[in-house]
């Protein structure tokens, strides 16, 4: 294993993770973040050493058969090991396929949206539960899944949900049975790389600044390395894990690949991971469809139609809270998009754009922001900016769509801020582009915009309802 457990904490280019993997040392330090989580598990479960743990010189640190205890933590951190710590230990009665099926069954029974998606993507062959029941995990991955289960925040339940949805999406793409199982495995294991990242950056409610994403964006690659070295699975499983944050239009991470450069299983997991985050909220299928279609081209049409099919099965979704869930108003969002484009244009016209790499980065950024501006228009949000006398905000359904659309567009702007911050190569470039990054990222603490009642967006088209997004994305 060539350094799979070394956490990569800097980002210098889209290929940084691969370069770090190739340059890693044969002698491996134990990742302190993962080790700490294993120690937490060992306080309530039997974690035992299955082969002698040796340091790089061959000196025995822990004998086979010993129980892993907190007392070993400092000793293990202080030494480079001859073989990976993960391959030296196992947990008794850890997570297995039966535990995964139990969680999946509960999700299907208690979540109508999940059941609807299963029905909408049923194309024959083995059921989703049958695919899950056939999964096998070696000692290393069983321990990782057990750590996820004991780590709180419903991490294992989320992984099982993504696995279920990945199987559904793979079926929708018409993949072979073996490839459907690969997608399910990748969905289950998609976030194991996060076990090796400083928990401070993953804390619930933590709002990452653009430059802090450098600690997070490599977790798909870390996950791939772990699976390839420890899992004993086909390489396609690790590849799909590495691709689960990529986007069909090339705006994802860590490599920003696009189209068919992303494997079919990777595309399935990418969509599954995205919609899993909204299926436990109000109007889940409507949220999922809007999130997937709001920026055309982010995901393939075949996978978008799976959610549309589930919506048709479910029928109209009733109830739910349509109140704002934080973030900025429609007027502020419009003002911010316009300001971002103005700042970008000024930078392009200024001395900063003399650098070819800076100009390329600015061009790509402004193209993405213009896509967001068009989505603002196509979803009908412009009606809230140029309100007519007597307009009261619309019915509950429109208010819900407004809030969801605003939130999705805010997230897309933050994605662009992240990418700009990660791709600025020099200190001078960081200084020059800082105002643009800050405006892309900041949806809460900015000074209030000037009144916009008299301002008319130059690119505004006739207003539509947000339902038109479904047509726009098909």
């Amino acid at each position: 294993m060539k350094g799979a457990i070394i956490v990569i904490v800097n980002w210098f280019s889209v290929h940084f993770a691969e370069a770090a993997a190739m340059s890693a040392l044969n002698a491996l330090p134990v990742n302190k973040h993962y080790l700490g989580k294993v120690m937490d598990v060992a306080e309530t479960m039997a974690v035992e050493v299955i082969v002698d743990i040796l340091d790089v010189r061959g000196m025995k640190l822990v004998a086979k058969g010993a129980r892993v205890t907190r007392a070993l933590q400092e000793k293990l951190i202080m030494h480079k090991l001859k073989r990976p710590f993960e391959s030296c230990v196992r947990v008794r009665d850890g997570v297995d396929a039966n535990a995964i099926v139990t969680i999946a069954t509960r999700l299907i029974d208690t979540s109508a949206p999940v059941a609807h998606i299963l029905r909408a993507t049923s194309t024959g062959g083995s059921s989703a539960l049958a695919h899950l029941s056939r999964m096998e995990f070696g000692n290393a991955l069983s321990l990782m899944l057990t750590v996820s289960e004991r780590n709180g925040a419903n991490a294992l339940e989320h992984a099982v949900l993504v696995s279920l949805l990945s199987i559904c999406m793979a079926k929708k793409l018409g993949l072979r049975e073996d490839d459907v199982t690969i997608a399910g495995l990748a969905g289950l294991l998609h976030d194991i790389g996060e076990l090796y990242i400083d928990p401070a950056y993953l804390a619930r409610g933590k709002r990452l600044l653009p430059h802090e994403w450098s600690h997070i964006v490599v977790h798909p690659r870390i996950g791939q390395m772990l699976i390839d070295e420890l899992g004993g699975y086909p390489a396609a499983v690790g590849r799909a894990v590495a691709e689960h944050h990529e986007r069909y239009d090339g705006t994802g991470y860590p490599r920003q690949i696009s189209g068919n450069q992303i494997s079919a299983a990777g595309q399935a997991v990418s969509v599954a991971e995205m919609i899993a985050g909204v299926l436990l909220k109000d109007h889940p299928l409507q949220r999922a469809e809007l999130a997937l279609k709001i920026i055309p081209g982010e995901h393939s049409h075949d996978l978008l139609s799976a959610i549309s099919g589930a919506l048709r099965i479910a029928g109209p979704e009733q109830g739910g809270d349509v109140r704002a869930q934080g973030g900025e108003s429609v007027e502020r969002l419009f003002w911010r998009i316009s300001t971002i484009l103005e700042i970008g244009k000024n930078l392009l016209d200024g001395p900063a754009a003399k650098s070819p790499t800076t100009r390329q980065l600015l061009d790509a950024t402004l193209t993405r922001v213009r896509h967001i501006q068009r989505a603002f228009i196509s979803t009908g949000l412009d009606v809230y900016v140029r309100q007519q006398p007597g307009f009261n905000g619309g019915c509950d359904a429109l208010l819900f769509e407004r809030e969801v659309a605003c939130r999705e567009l805010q997230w897309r702007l933050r994605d662009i801020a992240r990418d700009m911050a990660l791709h600025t190569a020099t200190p001078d470039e960081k200084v020059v582009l800082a105002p643009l990054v800050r405006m892309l990222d900041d949806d809460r603490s900015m000074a209030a915009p000037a009144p916009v009642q008299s301002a008319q967006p130059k690119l505004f088209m006739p207003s539509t309802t947000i339902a038109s997004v479904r047509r726009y994305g098909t």
Side-chain angles (χ1 to χ4, degrees):
M1 180 179 180
K2 303 294 184 181
I5 61 172
I6 297 175
V7 173
I8 304 163
V9 294
N10 294 302
W11 176 278
F12 298 113
S13 75
V14 294
H15 300 296
F16 178 80
E18 287 83 348
M22 294 181 65
S23 64
L25 299 174
N26 288 323
L28 303 177
V30 180
N31 178 278
K32 65 180 182 180
H33 304 304
Y34 180 65
L35 181 61
K37 296 179 179 73
V38 171
M39 293 299 171
D40 291 340
V41 171
E43 291 181 349
T44 57
M45 300 181 70
V47 180
E48 57 190 12
V49 177
I50 55 177
V51 296
D52 290 343
I53 299 179
L54 309 177
D55 72 5
V56 69
R57 298 168 299 176
M59 184 176 72
K60 186 185 298 186
L61 299 177
V62 187
K64 176 182 177 181
R67 287 281 295 269
V68 173
T69 65
R70 185 72 68 179
L72 295 176
Q73 188 168 3
E74 185 174 353
K75 177 189 287 189
L76 292 172
I77 286 177
M78 289 175 61
H79 294 85
K80 292 182 178 181
L81 305 185
K82 194 165 188 178
R83 59 185 297 175
F85 168 76
E86 292 84 347
S87 65
C88 297
V89 296
R90 69 181 175 195
V91 59
R92 290 184 185 174
D93 301 320
V95 171
D96 59 11
N98 290 333
I100 299 302
V101 169
T102 298
I103 296 172
T105 302
R106 184 174 71 247
L107 285 170
I108 295 169
D109 291 343
T110 59
S111 173
V114 174
H116 294 320
I117 293 172
L118 284 170
R119 287 179 58 195
T121 55
S122 178
T123 56
S126 300
S127 69
L129 292 178
H131 281 284
L132 294 178
S133 69
R134 292 196 291 266
M135 291 182 180
E136 297 181 357
F137 315 113
N139 291 324
L141 293 181
S142 176
L143 178 53
M144 290 178 193
L145 291 171
T146 304
V147 167
S148 295
E149 180 186 41
R150 299 303 177 98
N151 201 33
N154 299 316
L156 184 59
E157 182 175 296
H158 170 75
V160 175
L161 176 57
V162 174
S163 183
L164 272 175
L165 296 173
S166 298
I167 290 169
C168 292
M169 298 301 116
K171 284 176 169 287
K172 185 65 178 178
L173 289 174
L175 302 189
R176 297 177 305 144
E177 286 282 283
D178 288 349
D179 292 329
V180 173
T181 298
I182 284 172
L185 271 167
L188 183 66
L189 302 171
H190 74 283
D191 270 345
I192 62 170
E194 289 189 353
L195 298 175
Y196 291 71
I197 291 173
D198 187 339
Y201 295 104
L202 300 169
R204 182 179 291 274
K206 165 73 173 176
R207 189 182 191 277
L208 292 171
L209 297 174
H211 69 276
E212 291 178 321
W213 278 97
S214 62
H215 298 269
I216 305 298
V217 295
V218 291
H219 81 268
R221 177 65 174 135
I222 295 171
Q224 179 185 25
M225 294 162 69
L226 290 165
I227 291 166
D228 287 349
E229 298 294 340
L230 299 170
Y233 299 131
V237 177
R239 178 182 174 182
V241 168
E243 296 168 338
H244 79 268
H245 279 296
E246 302 290 358
R247 296 291 179 259
Y248 206 70
D249 61 356
T251 61
Y253 67 80
R255 296 174 60 205
Q256 292 190 310
I257 56 178
S258 62
N260 290 330
Q261 291 177 300
I262 309 171
S263 67
Q267 293 177 41
V269 180
S270 173
V271 169
E273 194 275 339
M274 188 172 183
I275 64 177
V278 303
L279 286 190
L280 302 181
K281 299 181 179 180
D282 61 295
H283 299 278
L285 294 175
Q286 290 180 10
R287 283 181 186 272
E289 186 178 49
L290 184 56
L292 293 175
K293 290 187 175 181
I294 197 164
I295 305 293
E298 280 188 328
H299 300 281
S300 73
H301 170 76
D302 287 340
L303 297 179
L304 304 185
S305 67
I307 305 302
S308 299
L311 261 173
R312 286 192 295 271
I313 291 172
E317 295 181 300
Q318 303 296 326
D321 185 1
V322 300
R323 295 173 296 176
Q325 300 298 313
E328 59 196 318
S329 67
V330 177
E331 294 84 358
R332 182 186 290 271
L333 179 59
F334 159 68
W335 170 79
R336 188 155 66 100
I337 293 170
S338 302
T339 303
I340 289 166
L341 290 171
E342 186 66 24
I343 293 173
K345 181 180 181 300
N346 290 339
L347 287 171
L348 277 174
D349 293 340
K354 290 181 180 179
S355 164
T357 56
T358 303
R359 186 171 192 88
Q360 184 179 16
L361 181 58
L362 282 169
D363 281 337
T365 296
L366 294 183
T367 296
R368 292 175 67 182
V369 176
R370 291 187 191 102
H371 289 163
I372 290 173
Q373 187 182 57
R374 284 196 288 272
F376 186 100
I377 297 164
S378 70
T379 53
L381 290 174
D382 58 322
V383 72
Y384 296 96
V385 177
R386 48 187 184 85
Q387 295 176 8
Q388 300 299 321
F391 180 75
N392 64 3
C395 64
D396 282 354
L398 289 179
L399 289 173
F400 161 76
E401 291 174 334
R402 182 193 71 185
E403 299 303 332
V404 174
C406 272
R407 176 58 71 188
E408 287 300 323
L409 294 179
Q410 289 164 25
W411 274 109
R412 298 312 192 278
L413 291 174
R414 289 190 64 200
D415 285 344
I416 301 174
R418 173 200 70 210
D419 291 344
M420 283 206 76
L422 296 178
H423 287 84
T424 49
T426 68
D428 288 345
E429 192 176 55
K430 290 180 187 295
V431 171
V432 169
L433 298 181
L436 184 57
V437 173
R438 191 159 51 245
M439 187 64 69
L440 283 161
D441 180 65
D442 195 348
D443 63 359
R444 299 185 301 174
S445 60
M446 300 180 304
V452 297
Q453 285 83 354
S454 60
Q456 294 296 321
K458 294 180 181 179
L459 298 181
F460 272 175
M461 302 181 295
S463 177
T464 62
T465 65
I466 290 181
S468 67
V469 176
R470 294 167 189 161
R471 297 192 297 274
Y472 190 45
T474 56

